[in-house]
Amino acid sequence: MSKQRADQKWVKPTPHKSGATPPKIKKESLPRHVALVMDGNGRWAKQRGLERTKGHEAGELALFDVVEGALEIGISELSVYAFSTENWRRSPEEVKFLMSFNRDVIRKRRDEMHQRGIKIRWVGREAKLWRSVVAELEEAEELTKNNDLMILNMCINYGGRAEIVDGVNALLTDLQKRKLKPGKITEKVFARYLDEPKMNDVDLFFRSSGEQRTSNFLMWQSAYAEMVFMDVLWPDVDRRTLWKAIEIYAERERRFGGAK
Ligand code: IPE
Ligand code: IPE
Ligand code: MG
């Protein structure tokens, strides 16, 4: 248990309405960094004869229940994919909805996240993103910057390839300025040019909706992640789904290319 928890400095997570409690998993078997691809909102809405946007709205509750579950079980870093650099391909109406929806959710939830000891970080590109979304994200980052119970990376207008290419461009600029030497770029040096150089490698990569692909999420950071795909639509996910995925993760044997 971290010092902050023991001190009751933070508001404790609200227990799940079913009374469920996290499974007992040894600390060393817990993933440190969990990445979530929150997929299936559109299909969830379609199944109910609703507009796709209703699925996104329903997904908000799923996300914040999962956040509470992550706090309860003791995850230190959670990255959530809320809008990809490819999602601009959707209809202008859906894009517009997602922009204002993300902006409103961040504004509405930031105090609660702050009280729970969460440090919010925006990970993504600025290009095309609504100014008002960037402003809310920056305000949330500023408000929560000294919190240290859990990092919540809000990945909005994020793309793994775009992140790597932007990193290459920044690196080339430093090369030109002779801050770096050609031939001396290691993985460690390159990682400094990613959006969040201090981001831990992803341990558990979870995707809902039954699709089995990464869709360009945290490509560099997930090189050795354990993949867990579940056939549940995002709005039907809650903290118990996360705990189940963590139990599956804890059973896996991670070898990182080594041998026993
Ligand atoms: C994920 O749900 C949310 C975002 C990509 C913003 P989708 O909107 O992709 O839902 P499906 O995959 O169409 O069901
Ligand atoms: C990935 O889901 C992006 C987010 C969840 C934000 P998509 O629904 O956009 O991915 P594809 O189109 O199935 O690859
Ligand atoms: Mg989808």
Side-chain angles (χ1 to χ4, degrees):
M1 195 177 269
S2 73
K3 193 170 171 292
Q4 282 73 22
R5 268 189 207 184
D7 291 347
Q8 305 273 299
K9 179 171 152 194
W10 312 114
V11 174
K12 277 206 214 147
T14 320
H16 188 255
K17 55 182 187 298
S18 67
T21 52
K24 303 265 174 294
I25 293 175
K26 282 192 272 145
K27 197 169 187 298
E28 59 272 23
S29 304
L30 275 180
R32 187 159 60 156
H33 184 186
V34 178
L36 303 174
V37 180
M38 310 184 285
D39 194 28
N41 296 348
R43 278 164 279 175
W44 182 92
K46 194 169 174 220
Q47 282 178 358
R48 288 162 178 75
L50 303 170
E51 296 285 325
R52 293 178 56 80
T53 52
K54 294 289 169 205
H56 299 314
E57 282 172 359
E60 180 191 342
L61 285 179
L63 171 59
F64 290 97
D65 196 69
V66 164
V67 167
E68 305 232 62
L71 288 170
E72 282 186 296
I73 201 167
I75 299 301
S76 59
E77 187 166 9
L78 187 66
S79 294
V80 299
Y81 207 6
F83 191 92
S84 76
T85 45
E86 287 68 44
N87 286 147
W88 298 104
R89 293 181 187 145
R90 297 190 177 195
S91 73
E93 296 74 42
E94 186 169 348
V95 166
K96 193 167 167 233
F97 175 85
L98 286 168
M99 285 294 128
S100 55
F101 180 64
N102 277 307
R103 179 194 62 207
D104 298 347
V105 168
I106 299 154
R107 186 184 300 153
K108 189 168 97 193
R109 297 284 186 165
R110 68 169 171 240
D111 290 338
E112 179 190 331
M113 296 298 105
H114 182 45
Q115 288 161 2
R116 298 228 187 306
I118 295 172
K119 180 196 195 108
I120 297 174
R121 290 196 305 209
W122 164 43
V123 184
R125 343 268 14 106
E126 196 156 347
K128 293 205 273 190
L129 201 52
W130 284 15
R131 267 311 307 165
S132 59
V133 177
V134 175
E136 290 301 335
L137 284 163
E138 286 174 346
E139 207 166 315
E141 284 184 333
E142 180 59 28
L143 175 72
T144 63
K145 68 180 181 198
N146 296 320
N147 296 346
D148 58 4
L149 194 50
M150 181 173 86
I151 294 168
L152 177 63
N153 296 310
M154 300 282 302
C155 303
I156 301 185
N157 199 21
Y158 174 85
R161 287 187 172 183
E163 179 185 32
I164 291 168
V165 170
D166 283 359
V168 168
N169 279 309
L171 184 146
L172 288 173
T173 304
D174 280 354
L175 206 63
Q176 226 163 22
K177 290 184 189 157
R178 296 177 190 278
K179 286 190 195 163
L180 291 172
K181 281 202 177 82
K184 297 279 182 207
I185 316 297
T186 59
E187 290 180 13
K188 213 170 154 187
V189 170
F190 180 69
R192 294 210 300 260
Y193 290 86
L194 295 170
D195 286 358
E196 287 297 338
K198 289 199 187 118
M199 188 186 276
N200 288 300
D201 278 350
V202 174
D203 299 302
L204 167 59
F205 186 111
F206 173 84
R207 181 171 187 149
S208 60
S209 91
E211 307 296 355
Q212 304 199 355
R213 54 176 169 266
T214 63
S215 298
N216 202 16
F217 193 38
L218 298 175
M219 293 180 65
W220 176 277
Q221 300 84 347
S222 297
Y224 251 108
E226 294 297 329
M227 315 302 285
V228 175
F229 299 109
M230 276 193 205
D231 213 349
V232 50
L233 300 173
W234 180 257
D236 291 328
V237 166
D238 63 32
R239 70 187 77 184
R240 294 170 299 179
T241 324
L242 171 76
W243 295 341
K244 180 79 211 144
I246 291 172
E247 284 184 292
I248 294 170
Y249 168 89
E251 291 299 311
R252 300 256 177 100
E253 192 196 344
R254 303 187 79 191
R255 288 190 288 273
F256 300 99
K260 270 193 156 174

